Amino acid sequence: MKTLRYYIGMIISMGLLFTSCQDDDNSIGEIIAPSNVTISAEVVGADAANPNGDGSGLVNIKATADNVISYKFDFGDGLSQVAPSGEVIHRFSIVGTNTFTIVVNAIGTGGLSTSTSINVDVFSSFDDPETKQFLTGGSTRTWYLAAAEPAHLGVGPARDGIDGDWWYPKWYVAQPFEKCGDPASACFCDDELTFSINGNGQITYQQDNNGATFFNGAHSAVA
């Protein structure tokens, strides 16, 4: 299979500080496995006439547990997500009505985890052939940061209500290769972002950071 190479710019939200990888020597305290793990799922648009949803494929999922640090959700469609809050909105994109087993792993100190699951029936009529073709080329495409382009990294509003502008790097625009020569941020320039399409018509995404991640320094506690 031929892998095509494309380039994509990135805009980083307002107020973020970044740092390179670092080693921490912190005490994690008593190691306790999470308990009382629960999971619930609400299919968006479900009613008496549409018991499996409105066709968007969206499901609101909520997990709770005692002695928990974070949650990992496996959605049963080949995709997964980590959510410290225990709340996620997931779109099931396999067209038609399908049953999915959603598994949640509640993660506690020392990496101990406790899991539970729930089955959910979801109707999806969502499809976007043009986007699928663009991202995957019908099979697999690997994208890279367009580091040679101005504004491949920037700071700007990330929501409505700020001067009416929220879609472009209003306050800071990185110049070509500006961050690639700085050891603190050079790892941002060699990430590989691969989009593939499987037999069910789903898009899967994988990021290869080549051993180092350009990370939001304000969130270093979860690194």
Side-chain angles (χ1 to χ4, degrees):
M1 180 184 300
K2 182 178 180 181
T3 299
L4 302 179
R5 296 188 176 186
Y6 289 76
Y7 293 85
I8 186 168
M10 295 183 177
I11 297 175
I12 305 299
S13 301
M14 173 181 63
L16 299 185
L17 299 175
F18 299 95
T19 183
S20 57
C21 300
Q22 60 182 6
D23 294 327
D24 294 318
D25 185 14
N26 297 322
S27 174
I28 62 174
E30 186 179 2
I31 298 177
I32 303 175
S35 58
N36 299 321
V37 182
T38 67
I39 182 173
S40 61
E42 177 189 4
V43 182
V44 173
D47 55 25
N50 304 284
N52 301 314
D54 58 10
S56 67
L58 291 171
V59 178
N60 296 314
I61 307 166
K62 181 177 181 179
T64 62
D66 297 330
N67 302 308
V68 66
I69 295 175
S70 187
Y71 300 86
K72 180 183 179 184
F73 294 88
D74 290 298
F75 301 110
D77 59 356
L79 302 177
S80 63
Q81 181 178 342
V82 174
S85 69
E87 298 186 27
V88 296
I89 301 174
H90 182 67
R91 185 189 296 275
F92 292 90
S93 58
I94 299 177
V95 176
T97 300
N98 299 277
T99 300
F100 301 95
T101 300
I102 304 171
V103 178
V104 61
N105 287 280
I107 304 168
T109 53
L112 291 180
S113 65
T114 306
S115 65
T116 190
S117 64
I118 189 173
N119 290 333
V120 60
D121 297 325
V122 185
F123 168 61
S124 175
S125 59
F126 176 81
D127 199 16
D128 189 348
E130 183 177 353
T131 297
K132 289 179 178 179
Q133 180 64 30
F134 175 72
L135 288 175
T136 71
S139 56
T140 297
R141 276 180 174 167
T142 300
W143 297 70
Y144 299 86
L145 177 71
E149 300 294 327
H152 61 272
L153 176 66
V155 177
R159 58 183 173 84
D160 292 309
I162 303 178
D163 300 331
D165 298 325
W166 55 272
W167 52 270
Y168 70 100
K170 182 175 182 179
W171 300 308
Y172 164 72
V173 172
Q175 297 306 304
F177 301 107
E178 176 183 337
K179 297 299 181 181
C180 298
D182 185 340
S185 55
C187 61
F188 179 61
C189 300
D190 63 0
D191 284 9
E192 299 179 4
L193 315 177
T194 300
F195 294 85
S196 303
I197 191 165
N198 63 25
N200 292 320
Q202 291 178 289
I203 294 178
T204 60
Y205 161 73
Q206 183 176 14
Q207 178 182 1
D208 183 356
N209 69 356
N210 287 296
T213 295
F214 189 54
F215 194 76
N216 183 351
H219 297 163
S220 59
V222 300

